[in-house]
Amino acid sequence: MQTKARTLPLSKRGMSFETFMWLFTRLSALAMYGFIFIGIVGALIMGAQNDMSFVEVLRWALMPNTGHVNYTNVPDLSPYATMFWRSVASLFFFTAIAHGVHGVVVILDDYFATEIQRKWIRIINISLFVIITPIGLYVIWFG
Amino acid sequence: MSDRNVSLSSALKYKGQGPYLTFILHRIGGSMIAIFVTLHILGTFFEMIGWQIGDLITDIYISPPFQIVFMFGMLFHIINGMRITILDLFPTKLIPYHRQAIVIEWIIFILVYGFAVVTTITTTIARMS
């Protein structure tokens, strides 16, 4: 029975907000694997194999921001601080925060079930999102 | 609206098997990332504008013990998320093999996490001298 429900085509199931966010969570995850891949390849092209360890490349790939290369042996940080990398970091940041805000709401909804609690969960999360996004962009572009 | 209401303590006591363990670790890892990223952005921003609290947050985040604990949640969330995404992209073909997928996932996780822990320690030692 369960298999049947799972393979029901989308046209018959209908696209609710929850279904859309279910799909978005997976697609944004795929996009983030793409960003991580770009970060690793980019770091290797810029000579990371001589100046950075595995964790340092990982840290850079998970958010390609110059601050993440500060404590490594990279002699010249300028290739890591280009417009390209700041743009990749900003896109990655937007994708991650959209994925995360929905994820946190989904988790908290399982532990707080009343109408008023769920309303507050949304208010607090969206407020944090509105406050953190510009601060994050400021750090990426001026850090 | 669903009326499901399970406390976190009873959720942790639930004797589920492999799939449940990945489910709860995915949540714990995701929560860790959400809290970490929020505080990390604020910490870096406070450092930029010269507030002491920013240095304190960064000092904690850059310490190897914190990184080793955090990387567990982070890498598990990434690798488990990859399994979920791949299985959900091809549900009819792959969902029947979800237990095998979890075994493969753990092997990949242990290799990547193990390597990350070892290089965290060796890099810390190398940077000290």
Side-chain angles (χ1 to χ4, degrees), chain B residues 5-81:
Chain B
N5 189 8
V6 183
S7 74
L8 185 60
S9 58
S10 50
L12 289 173
K13 272 183 230 145
Y14 173 62
K15 297 274 187 293
Q17 295 171 344
Y20 177 72
L21 184 67
T22 61
F23 163 82
I24 201 73
L25 285 177
H26 196 78
R27 291 201 148 182
I28 293 169
S31 312
M32 281 164 78
I33 296 168
I35 296 165
F36 167 82
V37 169
T38 308
L39 289 177
H40 181 40
I41 290 170
L42 288 175
T44 314
F45 177 67
F46 291 154
E47 266 192 321
M48 283 167 76
I49 59 172
W51 288 11
Q52 287 281 307
I53 183 90
D55 299 318
L56 179 73
I57 296 173
T58 305
D59 284 347
I60 294 170
Y61 283 178
I62 208 132
S63 68
F66 176 86
Q67 293 195 6
I68 288 169
V69 173
F70 177 71
M71 271 190 315
F72 183 92
M74 180 106 190
L75 287 174
F76 189 84
H77 193 85
I78 293 172
I79 292 166
N80 188 53

Side-chain angles (χ1 to χ4, degrees), chain A residues 14-27 102:
Chain A
M15 179 64 97
S16 67
F17 176 71
E18 291 306 319
T19 315
F20 175 77
M21 288 314 287
W22 180 91
L23 191 63
F24 172 78
T25 303
R26 273 125 191 102
L27 293 181
H102 178 70

Side-chain angles (χ1 to χ4, degrees), chain B residues 85-126:
Chain B
T85 309
I86 293 170
L87 259 62
D88 282 351
L89 282 176
F90 309 99
T92 38
K93 272 191 188 141
L94 295 181
I95 297 277
Y97 302 103
H98 74 286
R99 279 180 189 273
Q100 287 91 326
I102 290 172
V103 173
I104 297 169
E105 172 196 335
W106 274 110
I107 294 170
I108 296 172
F109 172 75
I110 290 166
L111 287 175
V112 176
Y113 180 63
F115 193 35
V117 169
V118 169
T119 46
T120 301
I121 296 167
T122 51
T123 308
T124 310
I125 295 167

